[in-house]
């Protein structure tokens, strides 16, 4: 049987079919659909609500997910194995109990199998809705590759049925018996799309972004809900506005036709990431330059509208406002209004991901953050409820800088200083922060010493001043 036009043209080897589809920008439709079905699983939903930054910082989550996926389907086996080990280390730190007293564990084999199941089925659905359904051999190979992904992650693969014929009854049974409509599903469908902050390329255009989000958010929700399996929509009581099904089919078909007919460079995920300025590999690509040119005039209008609509509320103490803003932008990584261990763990995960840390360095970093959390609880958790509110932080008499924070800075310096010369070079700085040196930091020497690096980190984490480097690292959405 001949391969469909939409299938890879080379003989499938390890992850070749999967790599073909995840490299397409339209795979975002499949990944978004799959994320809802994943969140509906009790264990995964609880892990997301308790630990993830996907609501407060969705662009960071998107960028890291795409980077991780590229590593997992890389040609180099060592790259794949290293990324699988890194993900396992991060997931081993995510466990707990949900609001109903049910335990959850990110390493649970059933939950990990369901993640692969949703991604496989959503990819198959994407191709079908896009007008080029997968033929049986290609679908079988894709399924085998997702099962191989579980083996790569260290599972034995038994959490997914051994054959594709057995998969579909398993998939339907899981939807009908295991899935629920929970807080995580509500967050994905309603909070993420409604509250998503502007991507890096649009942060200077808040008014333009507000208009885009007001239109695109409800449409994205309607399209995603309409694409979900009817069984789940019915049991979760999810309704769609009139015309949503037609709109969903139209979007998928248009994306499929564009992928089929347009030059590949126009429809690859890298192009999409470049336009939104999310790709680490190209800070000044053609997509970003084009978007910047299109928004040049809009920036003046945006600035004027911001001035005319400025908040005229009651005056607030500048010190208190600064502390509360720092709490919201930096410390509250999960966006739930409180500072707790998952927020600091999210900081550690982001740093470990940026630097692709080895197991030993990563363990040092998480230990340092755990020590800092204990210091923060001792000094700031005045009511002893195990979390720190914005008010508790803003009214504290001292800044949260102590020995543990210095230890974090030392670990961060050691991990960034890859050549061990005790100076952070421009290239090392760029890898961690994705921004160039501030000339004031280097002192004209072209590098950053340990003392200067630690001083800058402590000054920023004390909330005393902004830093382009640490804003890129810890505050971006």
């Amino acid at each position: 049987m001949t391969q469909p036009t939409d299938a890879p043209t080379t003989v499938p080897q390890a992850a070749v079919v999967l790599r073909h589809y995840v490299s397409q920008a339209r795979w975002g439709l499949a990944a978004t659909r799959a994320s809802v079905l994943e969140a509906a699983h009790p264990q995964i939903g609880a892990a997301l609500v308790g630990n993830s930054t996907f609501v407060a910082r969705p662009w960071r989550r998107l960028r890291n997910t795409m980077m991780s996926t590229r590593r997992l389907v890389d040609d180099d086996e060592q790259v794949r194995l290293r990324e699988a080990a890194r993900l396992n280390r991060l997931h081993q730190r995510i466990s707990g109990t949900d609001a109903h007293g049910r335990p959850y564990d990110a390493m649970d084999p059933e939950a990990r199998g369901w993640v692969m199941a949703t991604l496989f089925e959503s990819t198959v659905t994407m191709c079908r809705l896009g007008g080029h359904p997968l033929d049986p051999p290609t679908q079988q190979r894709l399924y085998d590759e997702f099962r191989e992904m579980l083996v790569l992650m260290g599972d034995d693969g038994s959490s997914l049925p051994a054959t594709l014929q057995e998969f579909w009854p398993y998939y339907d049974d899981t939807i009908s018996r295991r899935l629920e409509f929970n807080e995580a599903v509500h967050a994905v469908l309603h909070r993420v799309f409604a509250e998503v902050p502007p991507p890096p390329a649009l942060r200077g255009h808040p008014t333009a972004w507000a208009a885009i989000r007001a239109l695109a958010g409800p449409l994205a929700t309607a399209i995603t809900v309409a694409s979900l399996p009817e069984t789940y929509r019915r049991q979760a009581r999810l309704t769609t506005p009139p015309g949503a099904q037609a709109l969903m089919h139209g979007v998928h078909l248009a994306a499929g036709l564009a992928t089929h007919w347009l030059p590949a460079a126009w429809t690859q995920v890298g192009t999409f990431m470049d336009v939104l300025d999310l790709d680490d590999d190209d800070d000044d690509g053609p997509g970003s330059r084009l978007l910047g040119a299109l928004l040049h005039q809009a920036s003046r209008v945006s600035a004027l509208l911001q001035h005319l609509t400025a908040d005229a509320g009651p005056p607030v103490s500048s010190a208190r406002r600064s502390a509360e803003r720092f709490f919201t932008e930096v410390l509250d990584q999960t966006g739930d209004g409180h500072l707790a261990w998952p927020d600091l763990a999210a900081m550690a995960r982001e740093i470990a991901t940026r630097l692709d840390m080895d197991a030993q360095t990563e363990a040092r970093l998480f230990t340092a953050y755990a020590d800092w959390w204990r210091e923060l609880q001792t000094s700031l958790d005045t009511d002893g409820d195990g979390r720190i509110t914005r008010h508790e932080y803003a009214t504290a008499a001292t800044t949260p800088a102590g020995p543990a924070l210095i230890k974090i800075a030392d670990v961060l310096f050691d991990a960034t200083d890859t050549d061990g010369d005790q100076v952070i070079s421009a290239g090392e700085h760029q890898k961690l922060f994705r921004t160039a040196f501030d000339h004031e930091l280097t002192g004209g020497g072209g590098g950053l010493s340990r003392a200067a690096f630690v001083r800058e980190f402590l000054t920023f984490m004390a909330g005393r001043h902004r830093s382009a480097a640490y804003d890129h690292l810890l505050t971006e959405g």
Side-chain angles (χ1 to χ4, degrees):
M1 180 180 295
T2 58
Q3 296 272 6
T5 307
D6 196 49
T9 56
T10 56
V11 177
Q13 298 174 355
V16 167
V17 179
L18 178 57
R19 188 186 310 131
H20 173 75
Y21 291 110
V22 301
S23 68
Q24 299 173 358
R26 66 167 177 155
W27 197 70
L29 294 169
T32 301
R33 178 182 184 273
S35 70
V36 178
L37 296 171
E38 292 166 18
H41 189 284
Q43 289 228 33
I44 300 172
L48 288 172
V49 169
N51 300 272
S52 180
T53 62
F54 75 102
V55 173
R57 288 163 171 80
W59 298 114
R60 176 200 293 177
R61 175 69 181 268
L62 172 62
R63 185 192 63 244
N64 289 345
T65 297
M66 298 308 302
M67 178 183 65
S68 181
T69 303
R70 287 196 293 248
R71 291 173 178 171
L72 288 172
V73 299
D74 195 272
D75 284 326
D76 189 333
E77 182 182 16
Q78 292 305 310
V79 172
R80 298 196 301 270
L81 290 172
R82 181 181 176 89
E83 180 61 14
R86 186 188 71 83
L87 289 175
N88 281 338
R89 292 196 304 271
L90 296 184
H91 289 159
Q92 285 167 357
R93 297 185 173 97
I94 299 176
S95 61
T97 304
D98 69 11
H100 304 286
R102 300 175 298 186
Y104 67 85
D105 186 342
M107 294 294 289
D108 178 73
E110 181 206 354
R112 285 154 70 96
W114 180 244
V115 170
M116 297 302 173
T118 62
L119 289 170
F120 165 71
E121 189 274 341
S122 292
T123 304
V124 171
T125 298
M126 175 195 76
C127 294
R128 175 175 55 80
L129 294 174
H132 294 88
L134 299 181
D135 65 18
T138 305
Q139 192 173 136
Q140 179 66 60
R141 181 57 194 161
L142 181 63
Y143 182 67
D144 291 341
E145 289 181 0
F146 273 107
R147 294 191 79 241
E148 291 165 5
M149 192 77 71
L150 281 175
V151 175
L152 176 67
M153 299 292 290
D155 295 353
D156 61 9
S158 62
S159 55
L160 281 181
T163 68
L164 185 57
Q165 290 71 29
E166 295 173 297
F167 171 80
W168 297 111
Y170 148 81
Y171 183 80
D172 293 337
D173 183 64
T174 301
I175 288 179
S176 61
R177 290 195 312 106
R178 290 286 284 144
L179 301 194
E180 60 189 19
F181 183 81
N182 53 30
E183 183 181 350
V185 173
H186 182 272
V188 173
L189 290 177
H190 301 291
R191 288 192 59 196
V192 171
F193 292 135
E195 302 172 13
V196 58
L202 287 171
R203 284 178 189 150
H205 310 276
T207 304
W209 176 249
I212 293 171
R213 184 173 59 188
L215 175 63
L219 289 177
T221 298
I223 291 169
T224 303
V225 171
S227 72
L228 296 174
E230 183 179 355
T231 302
Y232 179 69
R233 292 204 315 269
R234 186 168 56 251
Q235 68 190 45
R237 299 181 180 178
L238 292 171
T239 59
T240 55
Q245 284 288 332
L247 176 63
M248 180 271 295
H249 282 279
V251 167
H252 274 274
L253 184 59
L257 291 174
T259 303
H260 178 64
W261 291 105
L262 294 178
W266 294 11
T267 60
Q268 297 297 292
V269 68
T271 304
F272 170 77
M273 301 287 279
D274 177 39
V275 167
L276 295 179
D277 195 21
L278 295 174
D279 199 330
D280 302 343
D281 298 329
D282 188 2
D283 292 331
D284 191 29
S288 295
R289 292 196 299 270
L290 174 60
L291 186 61
L294 293 174
L295 292 174
H296 177 67
Q297 294 301 323
S299 63
R300 297 183 179 182
V301 177
S302 173
L304 176 61
L305 289 175
Q306 290 181 70
H307 176 72
L308 294 175
T309 59
D311 182 17
V316 182
S317 162
S318 59
R320 181 180 177 84
R321 182 195 307 164
S322 176
E324 290 188 342
R325 184 168 182 176
F326 182 78
F327 182 96
T328 300
E329 293 181 350
V330 179
L331 298 179
D332 183 15
Q333 291 282 305
T334 59
D336 63 358
H338 299 89
L339 174 61
W341 168 242
D343 298 294
L344 302 194
M347 292 186 198
R349 284 199 303 272
E350 176 63 14
I351 293 168
T353 299
R354 292 268 185 116
L355 295 176
D356 193 17
M357 288 182 174
D358 59 34
Q360 183 177 5
T361 306
E362 186 181 286
R364 286 181 60 207
L365 181 68
F366 273 88
T367 297
Y369 266 101
D371 290 343
W372 186 39
W373 172 235
R374 284 189 286 270
E375 286 185 1
L376 289 174
Q377 282 186 293
T378 300
S379 60
L380 300 181
D381 183 15
T382 56
D383 59 7
D385 65 351
R387 58 185 186 175
I388 298 165
T389 66
R390 185 183 293 105
H391 177 74
E392 286 174 325
Y393 175 81
T395 56
T398 59
T399 58
L405 203 56
I406 296 173
K407 186 162 66 173
I408 292 173
D410 275 330
V411 176
L412 192 53
F413 181 89
D414 291 339
T416 306
D417 179 25
T418 53
D419 58 10
D421 64 354
Q422 296 300 303
V423 175
I424 302 298
S425 67
E428 291 167 338
H429 189 274
Q430 183 73 32
K431 181 178 180 181
L432 174 62
F433 296 113
R434 300 195 185 101
T435 185
F437 277 132
D438 182 333
H439 294 299
E440 295 180 0
L441 300 179
T442 62
L448 201 58
S449 68
R450 180 183 294 271
F453 184 93
V454 171
R455 183 171 59 251
E456 171 68 7
F457 179 77
L458 294 179
T459 302
F460 176 78
M461 293 307 297
R464 288 197 289 268
H465 80 107
R466 302 184 71 89
S467 162
Y470 287 101
D471 280 341
H472 275 285
L473 179 64
L474 296 174
T475 70
E476 65 180 24

